[in-house]
Amino acid sequence: MDRSEALAFLGKLIGSDLVGLGNKHGVTIWKGTRINKGWAGHTIERHLGLPLNSSRSPNFGSWELKVVPVRAMPDGTFKVKETMAITMIDPVEVAAKEFLNSHLYLKLQRLLVVARIFESKAESRSLCHLIAEFDLSDQALYHQIKADYDLIRDVIRTKGFDYLKGSMGVMVQPRTKGPGHGSRSRAFYARTALVATILGIGVR
DNA sequence: CTATGATCATCC
DNA sequence: GGATGATCATAG
């Protein structure tokens, strides 16, 4: 299935409840008192017929699936609730590659982002809001993200991986990610401003 | 353990 | 409410 086919397929989910869909596919949302933070992503993947796996994610071969929560505002508009993890930072790879050849750029050209409406952390219900394709075709945005990548790359090369901070970057930030408990791995995250641009919301 | 899927908890 | 660092489930 290519990206446009998936877009059409997932479009049928708009307005429906993803919690119910997740349960139908056997996705674990709550494990006792603790939540499976990836439940929404797992739900969509199962719906598309993918087995769960942790392989380096050209998970659909030619494009990348992401789902992000948005919050419904009283005035009827929507805001992005969270930043979005894009891909792990491999310091060796980042130091060696120009933005054009980076894993980050490759992924940003192949996104299919699903926005779900977050109601509460009980996650008793979550409606599918919209599906958006993204390919980083906007020049100004491309230059800003390249600048962020170059900043991160420069810090890794001149100071070291451990000097990266979540406060760096305008559209894309380097942030800790992993199982926690001392893990020091980091990933590129799309800040909410970038996510909003991808979704075409929050900007007016 | 670290990759994938992400959101939670706490600070301001 | 927004930003940053920490953390959860699952699979290999």
Side-chain angles (χ1 to χ4, degrees):
Chain A
M1 167 150 44
D2 65 24
R3 194 173 72 171
S4 59
E5 289 172 331
L7 178 64
F9 184 67
L10 294 177
K12 297 171 187 169
L13 288 179
I14 293 177
S16 63
D17 177 27
L18 297 181
V19 173
L21 185 65
N23 286 145
K24 198 173 94 181
H25 287 290
V27 173
T28 300
I29 297 180
W30 288 97
K31 184 82 171 184
T33 169
R34 286 174 291 194
I35 192 172
N36 170 9
K37 298 182 180 179
W39 77 266
H42 291 168
T43 294
I44 302 295
E45 292 182 342
R46 290 286 241 284
H47 186 62
L48 289 168
L50 267 76
L52 256 37
N53 72 85
S54 62
S55 63
R56 202 80 157 180
S57 73
N59 69 14
F60 290 88
S62 61
W63 52 281
E64 189 70 16
L65 173 72
K66 295 291 179 188
V67 13
V68 71
V70 296
R71 191 188 296 268
M73 304 307 282
D75 65 359
T77 58
F78 292 87
K79 277 194 174 180
V80 176
K81 176 175 176 291
E82 295 281 352
T83 48
M84 182 176 79
I86 302 172
T87 190
M88 295 301 288
I89 296 178
D90 177 339
V92 177
E93 184 191 305
V94 173
K97 293 184 176 180
E98 292 294 334
F99 181 57
L100 275 175
N101 302 314
S102 69
H103 199 176
L104 173 64
Y105 178 56
L106 259 37
K107 287 209 172 196
L108 287 176
Q109 284 190 300
R110 309 174 162 181
L111 292 182
L112 186 67
V113 183
V114 176
R116 69 183 183 88
I117 300 176
F118 175 88
E119 298 190 353
S120 76
K121 63 178 184 174
E123 301 289 12
S124 54
R125 186 176 77 140
S126 186
L127 303 183
C128 181
H129 181 53
L130 62 77
I131 323 287
E133 291 183 281
F134 183 70
D135 50 26
L136 196 54
S137 54
D138 183 273
Q139 289 306 295
L141 192 55
Y142 169 85
H143 287 297
Q144 180 57 64
I145 294 175
K146 180 181 185 304
D148 290 342
Y149 178 84
D150 286 341
L151 168 65
I152 292 166
R153 190 180 184 213
D154 187 61
V155 169
I156 290 175
R157 294 208 289 192
T158 63
K159 302 173 81 173
F161 187 64
D162 292 337
Y163 284 80
L164 292 175
K165 295 286 178 259
S167 56
M168 295 170 179
V170 177
M171 296 304 266
V172 172
Q173 63 180 166
R175 189 114 150 268
T176 58
K177 180 189 191 296
H181 303 294
S183 171
R184 251 162 280 294
S185 58
R186 283 180 168 77
F188 287 109
Y189 280 76
R191 287 183 178 277
T192 54
L194 175 55
V195 178
T197 300
I198 291 173
L199 295 177
I201 64 173
V203 275
R204 56 165 298 170

